[in-house]
Amino acid sequence: MRNALDTAELDAAIENVIRAGMPGLFAEVRHGDQVWRGAAGVADVATGRPVTADLRHRVGSVTKTFTAAAVLQQAESGRVDLDAPVGRYLPELVPGERGEAITVRMLLDHTSGLAEYLPYAYPSLKGFPVVAETRPQSLEDHRFTRFHSADLIGMGVTAPAVGAPGGAPGLYSNTNYLLLGELLERVSGTTAEQCITRDVIERAGLRDTGFPAGTQVDGPHAKIYEAWFGMIDPPRDYSVYDMSFVGPTASLISTVADLNRFYRLLLAGKIVGPSSLEQMRRTGPVVSQEGRIIEYGLGLYPMEGPGQGAFWGHGGTVWGGGTLAMTSMDGERQMAVAVNLQRWNRLDSSGSPQPHPIDAALADLYRVALYG
Protein backbone atom coordinates (compact mmCIF):
# COMPACT_ATOMS: atom_id res chain seq x y z
CA MET A 1 0.00 0.00 0.00
CA ARG A 2 1.36 3.42 -0.93
CA ASN A 3 0.22 6.43 1.06
CA ALA A 4 -0.38 9.91 -0.29
CA LEU A 5 2.50 12.33 0.00
CA ASP A 6 3.36 13.53 3.50
CA THR A 7 5.28 16.69 2.64
CA ALA A 8 6.30 17.40 6.23
CA GLU A 9 7.77 13.92 6.55
CA LEU A 10 9.60 14.30 3.24
CA ASP A 11 10.98 17.69 4.31
CA ALA A 12 12.23 16.15 7.56
CA ALA A 13 13.75 13.16 5.75
CA ILE A 14 15.90 15.28 3.41
CA GLU A 15 17.03 17.49 6.29
CA ASN A 16 18.12 14.34 8.13
CA VAL A 17 20.33 13.38 5.18
CA ILE A 18 22.03 16.79 5.37
CA ARG A 19 22.49 16.47 9.14
CA ALA A 20 24.09 13.07 8.54
CA GLY A 21 26.81 14.71 6.44
CA MET A 22 25.56 15.13 2.85
CA PRO A 23 26.39 18.61 1.50
CA GLY A 24 23.30 18.92 -0.72
CA LEU A 25 20.29 16.92 -1.91
CA PHE A 26 17.33 17.63 -4.17
CA ALA A 27 14.40 15.43 -5.11
CA GLU A 28 10.99 15.10 -6.69
CA VAL A 29 8.37 12.67 -5.39
CA ARG A 30 5.05 12.14 -7.15
CA HIS A 31 1.85 10.37 -6.14
CA GLY A 32 -0.78 10.61 -8.83
CA ASP A 33 -1.36 14.32 -9.38
CA GLN A 34 0.46 15.26 -6.19
CA VAL A 35 4.01 16.51 -6.65
CA TRP A 36 6.57 17.35 -3.95
CA ARG A 37 9.88 18.94 -4.84
CA GLY A 38 12.40 19.36 -2.08
CA ALA A 39 15.96 20.58 -1.63
CA ALA A 40 18.26 20.88 1.35
CA GLY A 41 21.89 21.77 1.94
CA VAL A 42 24.36 23.54 -0.28
CA ALA A 43 25.36 23.40 -3.93
CA ASP A 44 28.76 24.90 -3.12
CA VAL A 45 30.43 24.27 0.23
CA ALA A 46 32.73 27.29 -0.20
CA THR A 47 30.03 29.90 -0.83
CA GLY A 48 27.06 28.27 0.91
CA ARG A 49 24.92 28.64 -2.22
CA PRO A 50 21.81 26.54 -1.55
CA VAL A 51 20.62 23.71 -3.76
CA THR A 52 17.26 24.01 -5.47
CA ALA A 53 15.04 21.22 -6.81
CA ASP A 54 15.42 22.27 -10.46
CA LEU A 55 19.20 21.90 -10.74
CA ARG A 56 20.76 19.93 -13.59
CA HIS A 57 22.90 17.00 -12.46
CA ARG A 58 25.20 14.30 -13.81
CA VAL A 59 23.02 11.20 -13.37
CA GLY A 60 25.63 8.49 -14.00
CA SER A 61 24.38 5.03 -14.88
CA VAL A 62 20.76 6.15 -15.05
CA THR A 63 21.99 6.78 -18.61
CA LYS A 64 21.91 3.02 -19.17
CA THR A 65 18.10 2.95 -19.22
CA PHE A 66 18.12 5.56 -22.00
CA THR A 67 20.71 3.60 -23.97
CA ALA A 68 18.81 0.33 -23.50
CA ALA A 69 15.57 1.98 -24.66
CA ALA A 70 17.29 3.23 -27.81
CA VAL A 71 18.64 -0.26 -28.56
CA LEU A 72 15.19 -1.80 -28.06
CA GLN A 73 13.71 0.75 -30.45
CA GLN A 74 16.25 -0.37 -33.05
CA ALA A 75 15.20 -3.97 -32.36
CA GLU A 76 11.54 -3.05 -32.84
CA SER A 77 12.38 -1.54 -36.23
CA GLY A 78 14.25 -4.69 -37.28
CA ARG A 79 17.73 -3.16 -37.37
CA VAL A 80 18.98 -5.11 -34.33
CA ASP A 81 18.35 -8.70 -33.26
CA LEU A 82 18.76 -8.91 -29.48
CA ASP A 83 19.73 -12.58 -29.68
CA ALA A 84 22.22 -12.17 -32.50
CA PRO A 85 25.94 -12.32 -31.71
CA VAL A 86 27.53 -8.92 -31.18
CA GLY A 87 30.28 -10.04 -33.56
CA ARG A 88 27.74 -9.79 -36.39
CA TYR A 89 27.56 -6.02 -35.81
CA LEU A 90 30.96 -5.17 -34.30
CA PRO A 91 33.42 -7.89 -35.42
CA GLU A 92 36.44 -5.63 -35.00
CA LEU A 93 35.57 -4.83 -31.36
CA VAL A 94 34.58 -8.32 -30.16
CA PRO A 95 36.36 -10.66 -32.56
CA GLY A 96 36.45 -14.42 -32.89
CA GLU A 97 34.62 -16.91 -30.71
CA ARG A 98 33.64 -14.36 -28.07
CA GLY A 99 31.99 -12.19 -30.69
CA GLU A 100 29.96 -15.22 -31.75
CA ALA A 101 29.09 -16.27 -28.19
CA ILE A 102 28.08 -12.87 -26.75
CA THR A 103 24.68 -11.60 -27.85
CA VAL A 104 23.27 -8.08 -27.79
CA ARG A 105 20.93 -9.16 -24.99
CA MET A 106 23.91 -10.27 -22.88
CA LEU A 107 25.34 -6.76 -23.18
CA LEU A 108 22.02 -5.27 -22.06
CA ASP A 109 21.67 -7.53 -19.00
CA HIS A 110 25.38 -7.70 -18.05
CA THR A 111 25.81 -11.44 -18.67
CA SER A 112 28.44 -11.09 -21.41
CA GLY A 113 31.34 -12.03 -19.13
CA LEU A 114 33.26 -8.95 -20.32
CA ALA A 115 35.38 -7.25 -17.67
CA GLU A 116 34.94 -3.69 -16.45
CA TYR A 117 37.40 -1.40 -18.26
CA LEU A 118 37.63 1.37 -15.62
CA PRO A 119 40.43 -0.17 -13.51
CA TYR A 120 42.49 -0.40 -16.70
CA ALA A 121 41.75 3.16 -17.87
CA TYR A 122 42.37 4.52 -14.35
CA PRO A 123 45.61 2.86 -13.15
CA SER A 124 45.23 3.90 -9.51
CA LEU A 125 41.96 1.92 -9.43
CA LYS A 126 43.61 -1.30 -10.64
CA GLY A 127 43.00 -2.97 -7.26
CA PHE A 128 39.21 -2.63 -7.68
CA PRO A 129 36.95 -4.22 -6.45
CA VAL A 130 39.24 -4.37 -3.37
CA VAL A 131 38.73 -0.72 -2.44
CA ALA A 132 41.60 -0.62 0.09
CA GLU A 133 44.00 -1.41 -2.76
CA THR A 134 42.83 1.58 -4.83
CA ARG A 135 43.89 5.22 -4.72
CA PRO A 136 42.05 8.23 -6.17
CA GLN A 137 44.97 9.84 -8.05
CA SER A 138 43.69 8.76 -11.49
CA LEU A 139 40.48 10.73 -10.96
CA GLU A 140 42.54 13.90 -10.97
CA ASP A 141 44.98 12.73 -13.65
CA HIS A 142 42.12 12.09 -16.10
CA ARG A 143 39.93 15.11 -15.34
CA PHE A 144 40.49 16.46 -18.88
CA THR A 145 41.50 13.27 -20.68
CA ARG A 146 39.60 12.66 -23.92
CA PHE A 147 39.04 8.92 -24.14
CA HIS A 148 37.94 7.05 -27.26
CA SER A 149 35.24 4.43 -26.86
CA ALA A 150 37.03 1.80 -28.97
CA ASP A 151 40.14 2.09 -26.78
CA LEU A 152 38.12 1.64 -23.58
CA ILE A 153 36.23 -1.30 -25.06
CA GLY A 154 39.56 -2.85 -26.02
CA MET A 155 40.65 -2.70 -22.38
CA GLY A 156 37.52 -4.55 -21.26
CA VAL A 157 37.58 -7.11 -24.08
CA THR A 158 41.27 -7.99 -23.70
CA ALA A 159 41.10 -8.18 -19.90
CA PRO A 160 40.54 -11.64 -18.36
CA ALA A 161 36.90 -12.67 -18.74
CA VAL A 162 34.82 -12.48 -15.57
CA GLY A 163 32.44 -15.24 -16.64
CA ALA A 164 31.15 -17.31 -19.52
CA PRO A 165 28.75 -15.57 -21.93
CA GLY A 166 25.22 -16.01 -20.63
CA GLY A 167 26.42 -17.35 -17.29
CA ALA A 168 24.88 -16.52 -13.94
CA PRO A 169 25.40 -14.42 -12.02
CA GLY A 170 26.43 -11.77 -14.49
CA LEU A 171 28.80 -8.94 -13.63
CA TYR A 172 27.85 -5.29 -13.98
CA SER A 173 30.32 -3.87 -16.51
CA ASN A 174 30.39 -0.53 -18.30
CA THR A 175 32.15 -2.29 -21.19
CA ASN A 176 28.78 -3.77 -22.14
CA TYR A 177 27.10 -0.41 -22.55
CA LEU A 178 30.00 1.19 -24.41
CA LEU A 179 29.56 -1.63 -26.92
CA LEU A 180 25.85 -0.87 -27.11
CA GLY A 181 26.76 2.73 -27.90
CA GLU A 182 28.94 1.53 -30.77
CA LEU A 183 26.11 -0.73 -31.92
CA LEU A 184 23.70 2.22 -32.00
CA GLU A 185 26.19 4.19 -34.07
CA ARG A 186 26.65 1.30 -36.50
CA VAL A 187 22.93 0.68 -37.13
CA SER A 188 21.57 4.24 -36.90
CA GLY A 189 24.18 6.03 -38.99
CA THR A 190 24.65 8.70 -36.32
CA THR A 191 26.44 8.86 -32.96
CA ALA A 192 24.98 7.00 -30.01
CA GLU A 193 24.38 10.30 -28.23
CA GLN A 194 22.50 11.74 -31.23
CA CYS A 195 20.47 8.55 -31.61
CA ILE A 196 19.48 8.51 -27.93
CA THR A 197 18.68 12.22 -28.04
CA ARG A 198 16.45 11.87 -31.10
CA ASP A 199 14.69 8.61 -30.27
CA VAL A 200 14.45 8.74 -26.46
CA ILE A 201 15.06 12.19 -24.98
CA GLU A 202 13.10 14.16 -27.58
CA ARG A 203 10.42 11.49 -27.82
CA ALA A 204 9.87 11.78 -24.07
CA GLY A 205 9.72 15.59 -24.28
CA LEU A 206 12.59 16.08 -21.84
CA ARG A 207 13.67 19.72 -21.93
CA ASP A 208 16.54 19.66 -19.43
CA THR A 209 18.21 16.35 -20.35
CA GLY A 210 21.15 15.84 -22.66
CA PHE A 211 24.71 14.69 -23.13
CA PRO A 212 27.51 17.08 -22.22
CA ALA A 213 29.03 19.14 -25.02
CA GLY A 214 32.19 19.78 -23.01
CA THR A 215 33.55 19.42 -19.50
CA GLN A 216 30.99 21.74 -17.88
CA VAL A 217 27.38 21.15 -16.86
CA ASP A 218 25.35 23.74 -18.76
CA GLY A 219 22.73 25.59 -16.74
CA PRO A 220 22.22 25.83 -12.99
CA HIS A 221 23.87 22.92 -11.16
CA ALA A 222 25.54 21.95 -7.92
CA LYS A 223 29.21 21.23 -7.44
CA ILE A 224 29.77 17.52 -6.79
CA TYR A 225 32.25 16.25 -4.22
CA GLU A 226 34.21 13.00 -4.27
CA ALA A 227 35.63 11.56 -1.02
CA TRP A 228 36.85 8.17 -2.34
CA PHE A 229 36.31 6.38 0.97
CA GLY A 230 38.04 9.07 3.00
CA MET A 231 41.16 9.13 0.81
CA ILE A 232 40.20 12.60 -0.52
CA ASP A 233 39.86 14.79 2.55
CA PRO A 234 38.27 17.24 2.26
CA PRO A 235 36.22 15.90 -0.67
CA ARG A 236 37.13 17.43 -4.04
CA ASP A 237 34.81 19.10 -6.55
CA TYR A 238 34.58 17.10 -9.79
CA SER A 239 31.68 18.95 -11.42
CA VAL A 240 34.03 20.00 -14.25
CA TYR A 241 35.11 16.77 -15.93
CA ASP A 242 35.54 15.19 -19.36
CA MET A 243 32.89 12.46 -19.35
CA SER A 244 34.20 10.65 -22.43
CA PHE A 245 35.40 7.93 -20.07
CA VAL A 246 31.79 6.73 -19.80
CA GLY A 247 29.93 8.20 -22.81
CA PRO A 248 26.57 6.46 -23.41
CA THR A 249 26.99 4.36 -20.25
CA ALA A 250 26.90 7.16 -17.67
CA SER A 251 27.45 10.71 -18.96
CA LEU A 252 23.87 12.02 -19.21
CA ILE A 253 22.84 15.28 -17.51
CA SER A 254 19.24 15.67 -16.35
CA THR A 255 16.92 16.94 -13.62
CA VAL A 256 14.85 15.03 -11.09
CA ALA A 257 11.65 16.20 -12.81
CA ASP A 258 12.84 14.99 -16.23
CA LEU A 259 13.87 11.61 -14.81
CA ASN A 260 10.44 11.06 -13.29
CA ARG A 261 8.81 12.01 -16.59
CA PHE A 262 11.07 9.63 -18.52
CA TYR A 263 10.43 6.60 -16.30
CA ARG A 264 6.71 7.33 -16.13
CA LEU A 265 6.48 7.33 -19.93
CA LEU A 266 8.79 4.32 -20.29
CA LEU A 267 6.76 2.14 -17.93
CA ALA A 268 3.55 3.29 -19.62
CA GLY A 269 4.82 1.90 -22.93
CA LYS A 270 5.29 5.33 -24.53
CA ILE A 271 9.04 4.98 -25.25
CA VAL A 272 9.26 1.31 -26.24
CA GLY A 273 6.44 -1.11 -27.02
CA PRO A 274 4.82 -3.54 -24.55
CA SER A 275 6.90 -6.52 -25.67
CA SER A 276 10.15 -4.57 -25.31
CA LEU A 277 9.10 -3.28 -21.91
CA GLU A 278 8.32 -6.81 -20.79
CA GLN A 279 11.82 -7.86 -21.85
CA MET A 280 13.38 -4.93 -20.01
CA ARG A 281 11.70 -6.14 -16.80
CA ARG A 282 12.85 -9.77 -17.18
CA THR A 283 15.64 -9.98 -14.61
CA GLY A 284 18.49 -12.25 -13.61
CA PRO A 285 21.20 -12.12 -10.93
CA VAL A 286 24.10 -9.71 -11.49
CA VAL A 287 27.00 -8.80 -9.22
CA SER A 288 26.87 -5.04 -8.72
CA GLN A 289 29.88 -2.74 -8.51
CA GLU A 290 29.47 -2.85 -4.73
CA GLY A 291 29.80 -6.64 -4.84
CA ARG A 292 26.13 -7.34 -4.03
CA ILE A 293 23.85 -9.65 -6.03
CA ILE A 294 21.06 -7.61 -7.61
CA GLU A 295 18.28 -8.52 -10.02
CA TYR A 296 18.91 -6.78 -13.34
CA GLY A 297 16.89 -6.62 -16.55
CA LEU A 298 17.67 -4.75 -19.76
CA GLY A 299 18.79 -1.37 -18.43
CA LEU A 300 16.28 -1.56 -15.55
CA TYR A 301 16.24 -3.09 -12.10
CA PRO A 302 13.62 -3.42 -9.35
CA MET A 303 13.66 -2.03 -5.83
CA GLU A 304 11.21 -3.14 -3.19
CA GLY A 305 10.72 -2.99 0.55
CA PRO A 306 9.68 -5.91 2.77
CA GLY A 307 6.14 -6.89 1.81
CA GLN A 308 5.94 -3.99 -0.63
CA GLY A 309 5.48 -3.87 -4.38
CA ALA A 310 8.37 -3.38 -6.76
CA PHE A 311 9.52 -0.08 -8.19
CA TRP A 312 11.56 0.03 -11.39
CA GLY A 313 14.36 2.33 -12.42
CA HIS A 314 18.10 2.78 -12.10
CA GLY A 315 20.71 4.39 -9.90
CA GLY A 316 23.88 6.10 -10.96
CA THR A 317 27.11 7.58 -9.68
CA VAL A 318 29.84 9.71 -11.18
CA TRP A 319 32.87 11.14 -9.42
CA GLY A 320 31.07 13.19 -6.78
CA GLY A 321 27.44 12.84 -7.86
CA GLY A 322 24.74 10.27 -7.17
CA THR A 323 21.20 9.71 -8.43
CA LEU A 324 18.40 7.22 -7.86
CA ALA A 325 15.15 7.21 -9.87
CA MET A 326 12.37 4.70 -9.15
CA THR A 327 8.79 4.42 -10.44
CA SER A 328 5.94 2.06 -9.61
CA MET A 329 4.80 -0.07 -12.51
CA ASP A 330 1.49 1.79 -12.71
CA GLY A 331 3.33 5.13 -12.72
CA GLU A 332 1.34 6.26 -9.69
CA ARG A 333 4.31 6.72 -7.35
CA GLN A 334 7.71 8.08 -8.33
CA MET A 335 10.93 9.22 -6.73
CA ALA A 336 14.04 10.85 -8.16
CA VAL A 337 16.80 11.89 -5.76
CA ALA A 338 20.16 13.59 -6.50
CA VAL A 339 23.06 14.05 -4.06
CA ASN A 340 26.38 15.86 -4.42
CA LEU A 341 28.79 13.68 -2.43
CA GLN A 342 29.96 10.16 -3.22
CA ARG A 343 31.87 7.37 -1.47
CA TRP A 344 31.50 8.97 1.94
CA ASN A 345 32.11 5.67 3.77
CA ARG A 346 35.57 5.40 5.30
CA LEU A 347 37.33 2.04 5.44
CA ASP A 348 37.70 -0.01 8.61
CA SER A 349 40.85 -1.89 9.64
CA SER A 350 39.95 -4.76 7.32
CA GLY A 351 39.58 -2.41 4.34
CA SER A 352 35.78 -2.64 4.18
CA PRO A 353 33.59 0.48 3.90
CA GLN A 354 32.16 1.35 7.33
CA PRO A 355 28.47 2.17 7.79
CA HIS A 356 27.84 5.92 7.82
CA PRO A 357 24.85 7.92 9.12
CA ILE A 358 24.21 9.05 5.53
CA ASP A 359 23.38 5.44 4.57
CA ALA A 360 20.59 5.15 7.12
CA ALA A 361 19.26 8.64 6.41
CA LEU A 362 19.05 7.98 2.68
CA ALA A 363 17.37 4.61 3.25
CA ASP A 364 14.76 6.36 5.41
CA LEU A 365 14.21 9.01 2.72
CA TYR A 366 13.68 6.31 0.09
CA ARG A 367 11.19 4.53 2.36
CA VAL A 368 9.20 7.71 2.97
CA ALA A 369 9.33 8.71 -0.69
CA LEU A 370 8.23 5.34 -2.09
CA TYR A 371 5.87 4.03 0.56
CA GLY A 372 4.88 7.02 2.70
Side-chain angles (χ1 to χ4, degrees), residues 253-267:
I253 297 166
S254 191
T255 63
V256 289
D258 266 10
L259 291 183
N260 275 341
R261 177 177 174 83
F262 166 66
Y263 281 105
R264 188 164 64 251
L265 292 172
L266 178 70
L267 294 176

Side-chain angles (χ1 to χ4, degrees), residues 70-80 184 187-188 195 199:
V71 171
L72 283 158
Q73 287 181 349
Q74 295 295 320
E76 289 174 354
S77 66
R79 286 186 283 271
V80 170
L184 284 174
V187 301
S188 71
C195 177
D199 295 344

